Amino acid sequence: MTQSKGKIGVLIEEHFDPTEYKKFNEYFPQQGYEVEYISHLWGQPSLTFGSNPENDQIEFHVTVTTEVNDIDPADYKGIICIGAYAMDRLRYQVNVKKGEKNQAPAVAFIRKAMDAGNVKVGTICHSLWLLCADRDLLTNRKVTCAHNIVCDVENAGADVVFDGEVTADLVIDDNLITGKHPGVVDEFMAAFVAEIEKTEKAQTVAV
């Protein structure tokens, strides 16, 4: 068996994008990376989430056993926020205080991931919603996203990159890799792995 190059963590919740889920499970292991699904489990040992229904059918379910509060993003080569509505659910807070930053476990985790130096962070389609929970994560960052959430992303301080009258397919800004929608998932995954391996190569040369 080929030795693993490391783990890619995928934040997930109910109503995740089925196309991305299927592609992640195929492509990343083919490139030598383990895929580990992570979420906030609300004190349970595991939770099972379903994908967005298509033609009234939920095609995929995933059982998650990795609690986002219990892991260090530095143990991963990259963290991806899966698309559709899952990230909106992960920014939910039971209690809120006026003027306080979002304290949802997944938001706290993505803050650490963004600051973890060599950890790549990827979002695709609607999943940039998670980073919109904290303006400090997006202010002046160049990104792309689904057209539905352009205003949300711009209001969070990001610079959305356009290609004519549509958002760009893919944008790379330092450790943040963003994709427009599931239609560009192949390009997104290839770029995500390339960014990981570029950093790995630079570290090797430096040593």
Side-chain angles (χ1 to χ4, degrees):
M1 182 178 292
T2 304
Q3 185 177 359
S4 170
K5 295 179 180 178
K7 295 189 294 184
I8 293 175
V10 179
L11 282 163
I12 199 164
E13 236 277 4
E14 193 77 4
H15 296 293
F16 59 85
D17 184 85
T19 298
E20 295 163 25
Y21 176 76
K22 180 180 178 182
K23 293 277 191 174
F24 292 169
N25 292 337
E26 294 170 352
Y27 181 80
F28 292 128
Q30 289 172 356
Q31 306 307 310
Y33 296 91
E34 299 174 56
V35 177
E36 182 172 279
Y37 288 95
I38 57 185
S39 193
H40 180 40
L41 303 179
W42 298 95
Q44 303 300 311
S46 67
L47 286 175
T48 298
F49 304 116
S51 60
N52 259 358
E54 296 184 339
N55 299 317
D56 295 325
Q57 298 294 318
I58 298 175
E59 184 176 2
F60 298 107
H61 290 86
V62 57
T63 298
V64 181
T65 59
T66 303
E67 164 59 51
V68 71
N69 280 318
D70 297 338
I71 56 176
D72 183 346
D75 292 335
Y76 298 80
K77 298 298 183 182
I79 300 295
I80 293 176
C81 303
I82 202 165
Y85 306 110
M87 293 307 104
D88 183 40
R89 295 175 64 86
L90 277 178
R91 60 184 182 172
Y92 171 74
Q93 303 174 91
V94 175
N95 299 302
V96 295
K97 295 180 181 178
K98 188 175 180 64
E100 183 180 72
K101 286 182 177 291
N102 187 301
Q103 299 300 313
V107 176
F109 177 78
I110 209 69
R111 285 191 191 104
K112 293 178 185 176
M114 291 287 283
D115 289 337
N118 294 323
V119 178
K120 304 305 176 183
V121 175
T123 70
I124 186 165
C125 199
H126 284 66
S127 69
L128 205 54
W129 259 339
L130 185 66
L131 278 68
C132 287
D134 185 346
R135 282 185 62 90
D136 291 345
L137 297 175
L138 285 180
T139 297
N140 298 324
R141 299 299 294 263
K142 292 187 181 299
V143 300
T144 189
C145 61
H147 289 185
N148 317 51
I149 66 167
V150 166
C151 290
D152 306 63
V153 174
E154 289 181 332
N155 287 338
D159 178 6
V160 178
V161 178
F162 286 78
D163 180 6
E165 295 184 345
V166 297
T167 55
D169 285 348
L170 182 77
V171 175
I172 300 171
D173 183 346
D174 194 22
N175 67 328
L176 180 61
I177 300 97
T178 55
K180 179 178 180 176
H181 53 45
V184 300
V185 66
D186 291 334
E187 182 182 358
F188 169 81
M189 293 185 300
F192 195 77
V193 167
E195 288 298 303
I196 290 172
E197 296 188 348
K198 183 167 67 176
T199 297
E200 295 284 306
K201 184 177 181 180
Q203 289 177 324
T204 302
V205 170
V207 171

